[in-house]
């Protein structure tokens, strides 16, 4: 007969004593897990960010769209005070996505967020997430993000199609990237992203703010897989790029191919990349080949650069 343990649900305050000094920093360190639950690639942009006389808990970037994301969290059930803060912060940052994370979500607040999702334009999306902390007997506690409110994508898409004519090229990009992120997520656990976008690029988190993996269809008829470096500071960008470039021979040997080392003169950012011929207008087997190449190169980028990026970030 099976011997089962006792499953206990712990209150958030048993785990985190203080919201600003304990819960928010923990959430910042685990922002990728939150993104996975929401189907996004989230990259931290700031903690306790000033908005007039107020302070936003977390500011992030959605790497899939380049849009701003605001995150307001609390260790207690949702309340009117935090709902008001959400609206204030969303306006202050021109946020694309608004995430409210609480211990529990009151029904009236769930209705309020769903109403906002129905009434706002297709560029603004509201989410509500709760955190369950579970423990079996005296084991280490485990957390679970539960998404209770998210936009109705069908309604948003229908609204977008009514307000703007379809772009065949944009739709081809969306379909290509949807297939790419689905494969990377389901087969390789490379990303938590779930929604392809009608754009010529897509970025993925490296686990370090300002350093990303990316796939781009260039205007010159090429496809580029890249490690993109922009920490918001030209000097730090140069330090990271120089550290990697000094190890060019060992990196390219490990990678199994020559790479393009692009310091991007007159620009703050830099990149290490590999290219192939290709266009989103390609058909059939050619586009399938671009897809397979893209998956393979992004996986190689992560394998080769992950630890080396971690080393230089520690040194900054």
């Amino acid at each position: 007969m099976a011997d089962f343990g006792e499953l206990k649900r712990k209150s958030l305050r048993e785990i985190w004593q203080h919201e600003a000094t304990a819960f928010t920093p923990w959430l910042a360190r685990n922002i990728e897990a939150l993104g996975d639950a929401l189907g996004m690639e989230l990259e931290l942009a700031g903690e306790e960010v000033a908005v007039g006389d107020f302070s936003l808990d977390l500011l992030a970037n959605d790497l899939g769209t380049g849009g701003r994301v605001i995150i307001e969290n609390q260790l207690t059930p949702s309340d009117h005070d935090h709902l008001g803060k959400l609206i204030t912060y969303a306006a202050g940052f021109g946020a694309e996505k608004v995430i409210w994370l609480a211990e529990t979500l009151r029904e009236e607040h769930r209705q309020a967020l769903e109403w906002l999702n129905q009434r706002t334009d297709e560029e603004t999306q509201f989410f509500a997430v709760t955190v369950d902390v579970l423990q079996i007997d005296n084991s280490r506690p485990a957390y679970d993000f539960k998404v209770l409110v998210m936009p109705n994508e069908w309604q948003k898409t229908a609204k977008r199609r009514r307000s703007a004519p379809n772009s065949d090229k944009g739709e081809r990009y969306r379909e290509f990237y949807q297939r790419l992120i689905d494969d990377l997520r389901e087969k390789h656990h490379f990303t938590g992203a779930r929604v392809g976008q009608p754009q010529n690029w897509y970025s993925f988190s490296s686990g370090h703010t300002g350093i990303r993996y990316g796939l781009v269809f260039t205007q010159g008829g090429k496809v580029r897989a890249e490690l993109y470096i922009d920490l918001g500071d030209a000097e730090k960008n140069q330090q990271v790029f120089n550290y990697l470039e000094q190890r060019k021979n060992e990196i390219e040997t490990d990678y199994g191919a020559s790479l393009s080392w692009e310091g991007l003169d007159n620009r703050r950012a830099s990149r290490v990349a590999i290219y192939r011929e290709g266009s989103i207008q390609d058909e059939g087997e050619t586009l399938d080949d671009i897809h397979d190449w893209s998956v393979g190169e992004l996986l190689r980028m992560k394998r080769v650069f992950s630890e080396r990026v971690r080393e230089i970030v520690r040194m900054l």
Side-chain angles (χ1 to χ4, degrees), residues 51-163:
V51 186
D53 294 332
F54 301 97
S55 181
L56 168 67
D57 289 331
L58 295 175
L59 180 65
N61 298 314
D62 179 352
L63 298 185
T65 65
R68 287 289 203 183
V69 180
I70 64 167
I71 303 168
E72 185 67 8
N73 51 259
Q74 56 184 119
L75 290 171
T76 54
S78 61
D79 56 43
H80 286 357
D81 177 59
H82 281 81
L83 177 59
K85 288 179 179 178
L86 278 179
I87 303 302
T88 301
Y89 300 155
F93 286 101
E96 178 183 274
K97 294 180 173 67
V98 179
I99 301 170
W100 189 1
L101 193 146
E103 183 172 48
T104 58
L105 182 70
R106 297 182 188 276
E107 175 60 21
E108 56 268 34
H109 296 144
R110 181 192 65 77
Q111 292 177 358
L113 293 184
E114 290 184 346
W115 181 83
L116 286 167
N117 275 327
Q118 293 167 7
R119 297 289 179 169
T120 54
D121 64 36
E122 66 275 9
E123 302 302 327
T124 309
Q125 301 175 331
F126 292 83
F127 300 81
V129 182
T130 58
V131 187
D132 282 347
V133 178
L134 304 172
Q135 186 177 34
I136 299 175
D137 293 334
N138 295 316
S139 66
R140 290 192 304 164
Y143 67 89
D144 182 32
F145 292 121
K146 289 189 175 180
V147 183
L148 301 186
V149 176
M150 64 174 59
N152 184 320
E153 287 299 324
W154 183 89
Q155 288 181 338
K156 295 282 186 178
T157 302
K159 189 183 292 186
R160 184 183 301 116
R161 288 174 176 169
R162 288 195 299 270
S163 63

Side-chain angles (χ1 to χ4, degrees), residues 211-226:
I211 301 177
R212 308 164 183 175
Y213 303 110
L215 196 283
V216 183
F217 285 86
T218 74
Q219 294 182 348
K222 293 183 181 295
V223 186
R224 180 177 70 234
E226 65 183 11

Side-chain angles (χ1 to χ4, degrees), residues 275-292:
Y275 293 80
R276 62 156 288 161
E277 299 291 330
S279 165
I280 197 62
Q281 302 293 5
D282 289 332
E283 300 287 347
E285 291 184 2
T286 303
L287 204 59
D288 287 343
D289 187 49
I290 293 173
H291 167 86
D292 293 343

